[in-house]
Amino acid sequence: MENAIKLIKNAQSGVVFTGAGVSVESGIPPFTGAGGLWNQYDPKFIELDFFYADPKRSWEEMKKIFFTCMDEAKPNKAHEVIAILERRGGFQGVITQNIDGLHQKAGSQNVQEFHGTIQRMHCIKCGRKYDTAEVDLEQVPPTCFCGGVLKPDFVFYGEGIPPGVYEKSQEMIWAADLVLIVGTAGQVMPACSLPMIAKQNGAKIVEINPRPSAYTDITDEYVPQKATEFFAALEKNL
């Protein structure tokens, strides 16, 4: 831990790269692994083709699984200290695979939401955009003024990564001298390739994860801890 904290404090253009593990302690279950959503539900309801074919059924499942737990969740110590790292300098910002918006709620400014967000929606007919907070989710599926169905702005299976986010994430990774990996198994492409690119470009890698991941063998420092425990200790050292 001491070596990891030293690398973090000395970073000049660090990037925090987060996965589901950083939000588990806020009450949001991961998608895979122990207690993962896909162990309990069939993920076909967020396949793009399924959504277009049966938006009502897709929305029934999304509302039940995503919108209750994520709407009620609050940032934890890890989110809060990650925001502090950006404010104090030395870190460019966050690249997250999460769709919950907790990094922004904690105060992070530069957040690249690689897999999109649950906080916004758009009409699949006219393209009009909505903040999720203004949408009445009692009606399923929710619809636009034009009558079109609304789709959440997170990436469905069969859908590409938002181009602007992908480009900005790559720019951050190429400029990084340190990547701080938090709570991800490193199994989802193309997101999982980003820390590998940074490593090949000479960046140091620090990983915080209770269990080893696909990244552990390339890390300069691996800390097998829960995210909140590590960041509470880091905060005392900043």
Side-chain angles (χ1 to χ4, degrees):
M1 185 190 285
E2 287 181 12
N3 289 340
I5 289 174
K6 186 180 295 185
L7 285 171
I8 292 167
K9 290 173 71 174
N10 290 336
Q12 298 298 310
S13 58
V15 172
V16 185
F17 180 74
T18 65
V22 77
S23 293
V24 165
E25 293 177 85
S26 290
I28 298 175
F31 290 101
T32 59
L37 288 171
W38 300 155
N39 294 334
Q40 307 168 55
Y41 302 97
D42 186 342
K44 74 176 183 180
F45 71 90
I46 56 168
E47 292 175 0
L48 199 58
D49 289 343
F50 184 93
F51 175 81
Y52 282 115
D54 194 350
K56 184 174 188 297
R57 173 83 185 285
S58 180
W59 260 106
E60 287 171 348
E61 295 298 310
M62 286 192 291
K63 181 179 173 183
K64 180 170 59 180
I65 296 170
F66 295 133
F67 283 86
T68 301
C69 69
M70 291 191 186
D71 186 54
E72 296 173 352
K74 292 180 171 53
N76 60 48
K77 178 60 71 175
H79 297 105
E80 292 166 0
V81 179
I82 287 169
I84 290 171
L85 289 177
E86 182 184 1
R87 286 199 300 272
R88 72 189 288 272
F91 274 79
Q92 304 173 58
V94 182
I95 300 171
T96 186
Q97 299 168 81
N98 300 337
I99 62 174
D100 50 46
L102 292 182
H103 284 298
Q104 291 94 325
K105 289 181 181 179
S108 289
Q109 297 296 310
N110 181 16
V111 182
Q112 301 305 318
E113 295 173 303
F114 207 77
H115 293 149
T117 178
I118 205 165
Q119 305 298 323
R120 294 186 302 275
M121 302 182 188
H122 70 274
C123 174
I124 63 175
K125 184 178 178 182
C126 73
R128 183 186 177 105
K129 298 185 181 297
Y130 293 83
D131 287 335
T132 297
E134 20 178 87
V135 176
D136 180 11
L137 292 180
E138 291 301 313
Q139 174 189 332
V140 173
T143 55
C144 177
F145 290 112
C146 76
V149 172
L150 300 186
K151 177 192 173 296
D153 280 354
F154 61 78
V155 177
F156 281 43
Y157 291 113
E159 190 173 18
I161 305 301
V165 171
Y166 202 170
E167 291 163 6
K168 289 176 183 175
S169 297
Q170 287 185 315
E171 289 172 8
M172 290 169 67
I173 284 296
W174 277 99
D177 61 352
L178 172 72
V179 178
L180 176 54
I181 299 172
V182 188
T184 177
Q187 296 175 338
V188 179
M189 282 293 287
C192 66
S193 66
L194 295 174
M196 304 292 190
I197 293 170
K199 179 71 173 182
Q200 292 168 1
N201 203 35
K204 298 289 186 183
I205 307 290
V206 171
E207 180 184 14
I208 315 302
N209 206 329
R211 291 170 296 280
S213 74
Y215 298 117
T216 306
D217 288 342
I218 69 160
T219 59
D220 294 278
E221 298 295 340
Y222 167 59
V223 184
Q225 273 191 325
K226 290 182 177 180
T228 55
E229 293 174 358
F230 176 82
F231 282 98
L234 173 62
E235 185 178 32
K236 294 175 182 177
N237 282 274
L238 291 177

